Amino acid sequence: MTQNQPHSPDLHADWKLLTVRGLRWIFTTGVLKQLLNFGIGICLARLLDPGDFGLVGMVLVFTGFAGMFIGKEFGAAIIQNKNLTQRHYDSIFWLNVFLGALCTAALCFAGPAISRFYNTPDLTPITMLISVNFFVGCLNVVQVALLDKTMNFRRLAIIETVSIVSAGAVGIALAASGRGVWSLVWQSITLSLLTVILTWSVSRWRPGFRFDPSAIRDVLRFSVYLLGFNAVNFFARNFDNLLIGKYLGFYPLGIYGKAYQLMMFPLAQISWGVARVMFPSMSAIQHDRGKVKNVYLKCLRAIALITFPLMAGLFVVSGPFVSAFFGEKWAPMVPVIRIFCLAGLLDSVTTTVGLIYQSQGRTDVQFKMILVQIVIILSAFVIGLSWGITGVAAGYLVAALIFLYPEWKIAGRLIDLTFGEMARNLSGTFLCAAGMAAAVWVFGMMLPYGWASWMRLAAEVFFGVGAYAALVRIFRLKGYREAGEIVSSLYRKAS
């Protein structure tokens, strides 16, 4: 092993232990990161106007799409492929550097054109500064992939937490001093920069000065299809922002974007967090379909146990929630949140089908699926635009419902898993979450009308938590029992 060659444990032998440890860190820090992001978001929403968030949202449609091409898909190839060597890592690193610099330069030149597209001159300098994130963000792709591959989620969790807190402090300080939209821009840049610096400080891997085209070809088939999927998927998920920004303006986009962000919190910190742990684990056992199937079903149960009640509960308490935390200027967000809660409940579990495709090395099938789906997604957004941001959100929900069966049906074939098995796997958790939401709604109707928003919200949340805990204990959900066993095991090891 060379000095720069990363140490890689025997994942096939130790995948259970490493997975449990990884899930512990993902859940522990995932809750912390979600609370931090939520708190920072509340502070910024109080200090800034919805239009400030809308301006950044306009730019992110273009900068985010360009970011698809800086080569992060090669990081997934590093995790999935067991046969890569130092020359592959070096080549991937320098390709990322080139692509990051290219994207930064392209967005700088495209700034004026983006401003003309939206008829908003202020977007030119915002676009040029945000584009710096491309070059910065490409500098740690290999290091993060290697930490993921060796399932070293403890270090990654510390890096992400410190970066979120520091960047949030910068954004809040600038917003409090009256810098407006620029506080969001500098928060984004600070987050990227700190993440790279901290990753380099904890990773032992360093790039060598060589580039081998044949090494890139070794991972190209996996990465190209994954790149194609991510690019098309990003466009599908952000076409709504493009339409709203172009035809409705930056203020409605700010309202819509904040509602969408609330839906994405549990997805980003729970669904994607669990997927991040399970991808290297499922890749290590990819040839044992029965084992992959069981791991995947357990993964779905763990995710649904948390995301289903979060989405169902937020649907019921969205009114006092927005009033208590964001203020009356964000009141138009309430109906959009309710629609996104239903869509988020579906997305929290359907988004995990990527685990199946990627762990089995079938990103080609994943890419073909999104090519079919994008037609329905774009059509739903265009039709919904006639009813404003609420109509666009409804289009998102309709598309999610249409995709539910075919997504699981086709992906499940790769591991001999049927749609019926997936549905039965989640039915108990869904019914408990729905029962809790109904109970909270009835409880809220009984509360005094004159209560302040924060008092009503606190009462409904405490009642909802108690109701859901009672239901999962009464029905002894399998996911609940498994979570309890994992927690007990961790406590015993800690003792």
Side-chain angles (χ1 to χ4, degrees):
M1 181 181 297
T2 65
Q3 184 178 358
N4 285 341
Q5 184 74 17
H7 172 68
S8 179
D10 184 358
L11 288 180
H12 184 73
D14 299 333
W15 70 273
K16 284 187 177 180
L17 177 60
L18 292 171
T19 300
V20 170
R21 288 178 178 174
L23 287 173
R24 177 186 63 182
W25 277 101
I26 287 296
F27 277 116
T28 302
T29 59
V31 171
L32 176 60
K33 287 189 294 182
Q34 186 162 339
L35 291 174
L36 289 171
N37 278 320
F38 180 72
I40 292 168
I42 293 298
C43 292
L44 291 172
R46 288 282 187 176
L47 292 168
L48 303 174
D49 292 325
D52 293 324
F53 292 90
L55 286 171
V56 173
M58 287 177 167
V59 175
L60 291 180
V61 172
F62 292 92
T63 58
F65 183 74
M68 294 290 100
F69 299 94
I70 65 172
K72 290 187 177 180
E73 287 70 21
F74 288 111
I78 290 174
I79 298 172
Q80 195 272 341
N81 196 318
K82 302 176 183 179
N83 301 315
L84 302 186
T85 63
Q86 179 68 19
R87 70 183 181 91
H88 293 93
Y89 303 144
D90 291 343
S91 301
I92 290 172
F93 176 84
W94 292 113
L95 178 62
N96 276 325
V97 170
F98 170 75
L99 293 174
L102 186 64
C103 286
T104 295
L107 263 296
C108 284
F109 284 112
I114 293 173
S115 296
R116 288 194 296 270
F117 174 80
Y118 287 117
N119 195 27
T120 308
D122 292 343
L123 292 182
T124 298
I126 295 174
T127 304
M128 295 177 70
L129 188 54
I130 287 181
S131 68
V132 174
N133 280 332
F134 296 135
F135 182 72
V136 174
C138 75
L139 296 176
N140 68 338
V141 170
V142 175
Q143 285 92 335
V144 170
L146 291 174
L147 289 171
D148 272 335
K149 186 169 187 172
T150 56
M151 305 188 79
N152 199 334
F153 296 106
R154 176 178 176 273
R155 290 184 177 183
L156 288 169
I158 294 172
I159 290 169
E160 292 167 0
T161 303
V162 172
S163 299
I164 288 171
V165 172
S166 302
V170 169
I172 292 171
L174 291 175
S177 63
R179 300 301 176 86
V181 65
W182 292 103
S183 59
L184 300 175
V185 175
W186 281 108
Q187 180 194 15
S188 172
I189 293 174
T190 303
L191 181 63
S192 297
L193 188 60
L194 276 178
T195 301
V196 169
I197 292 173
L198 293 175
T199 304
W200 275 71
S201 68
V202 303
S203 174
R204 293 187 296 173
W205 183 83
R206 294 293 182 268
F209 292 96
R210 59 177 170 178
F211 180 81
D212 185 351
S214 66
I216 299 299
R217 287 194 294 270
D218 290 341
V219 296
L220 201 57
R221 182 179 182 275
F222 178 94
S223 298
V224 164
Y225 279 118
L226 186 57
L227 170 61
F229 168 80
N230 286 338
V232 176
N233 185 53
F234 179 88
F235 181 71
R237 282 185 172 271
N238 287 270
F239 187 68
D240 50 351
N241 294 330
L242 186 70
L243 288 175
I244 293 170
K246 175 66 175 177
Y247 296 104
L248 301 181
F250 56 84
Y251 190 91
L253 179 58
I255 297 290
Y256 181 89
K258 183 58 70 174
Y260 182 84
Q261 188 180 41
L262 287 173
M263 179 193 75
M264 294 302 293
F265 267 147
L267 267 70
Q269 303 301 336
I270 299 172
S271 298
W272 297 350
V274 172
R276 186 177 183 180
V277 176
M278 300 311 298
F279 177 40
S281 178
M282 289 172 62
S283 295
I285 58 172
Q286 58 187 277
H287 300 298
D288 188 339
R289 288 189 172 187
K291 188 174 289 186
V292 171
K293 173 181 173 179
N294 290 332
V295 169
Y296 179 71
L297 288 175
K298 185 177 290 188
C299 172
L300 283 184
R301 290 192 292 269
I303 290 172
L305 187 69
I306 301 174
T307 59
F308 280 16
L310 282 178
M311 293 289 93
L314 182 57
F315 178 90
V316 178
V317 305
S318 55
F321 175 85
V322 170
S323 179
F325 284 109
F326 292 92
E328 295 306 319
K329 64 182 178 182
W330 292 91
M333 187 167 59
V334 173
V336 183
I337 287 178
R338 287 175 178 159
I339 296 173
F340 276 147
C341 283
L342 300 177
L345 188 146
L346 297 174
D347 275 2
S348 69
V349 288
T350 57
T351 191
T352 60
V353 297
L355 276 174
I356 300 176
Y357 290 124
Q358 294 171 34
S359 66
Q360 298 301 303
R362 295 307 307 270
T363 53
D364 57 328
V365 180
Q366 187 181 22
F367 176 61
K368 292 172 185 176
M369 279 293 296
I370 193 64
L371 289 179
V372 176
Q373 293 172 357
I374 192 172
V375 178
I376 298 174
I377 295 172
L378 301 190
S379 300
F381 287 154
V382 171
I383 294 171
L385 187 65
S386 300
W387 290 271
I389 57 176
T390 305
V392 176
Y396 186 100
L397 174 59
V398 170
L401 287 169
I402 292 173
F403 300 149
L404 181 62
Y405 178 79
E407 272 195 315
W408 268 343
K409 178 71 174 178
I410 294 174
R413 290 175 181 170
L414 298 177
I415 56 173
D416 302 323
L417 179 62
T418 66
F419 178 83
E421 287 178 296
M422 293 187 191
R424 288 191 296 272
N425 188 54
L426 299 173
S427 59
T429 308
F430 175 79
L431 291 175
C432 286
M436 176 272 294
V440 172
W441 181 77
V442 173
F443 177 74
M445 297 288 289
M446 300 169 59
L447 293 177
Y449 181 76
W451 274 20
S453 297
W454 69 267
M455 294 176 63
R456 177 176 293 273
L457 178 64
E460 290 178 344
V461 168
F462 280 117
F463 178 81
V465 171
Y468 184 69
L471 287 171
V472 297
R473 286 183 63 87
I474 291 172
F475 292 101
R476 295 292 294 171
L477 294 182
K478 193 172 183 179
Y480 168 74
R481 296 198 306 270
E482 291 167 347
E485 291 169 0
I486 291 175
V487 171
S488 298
S489 174
L490 291 175
Y491 273 119
R492 286 195 300 270
K493 289 179 181 179
S495 299

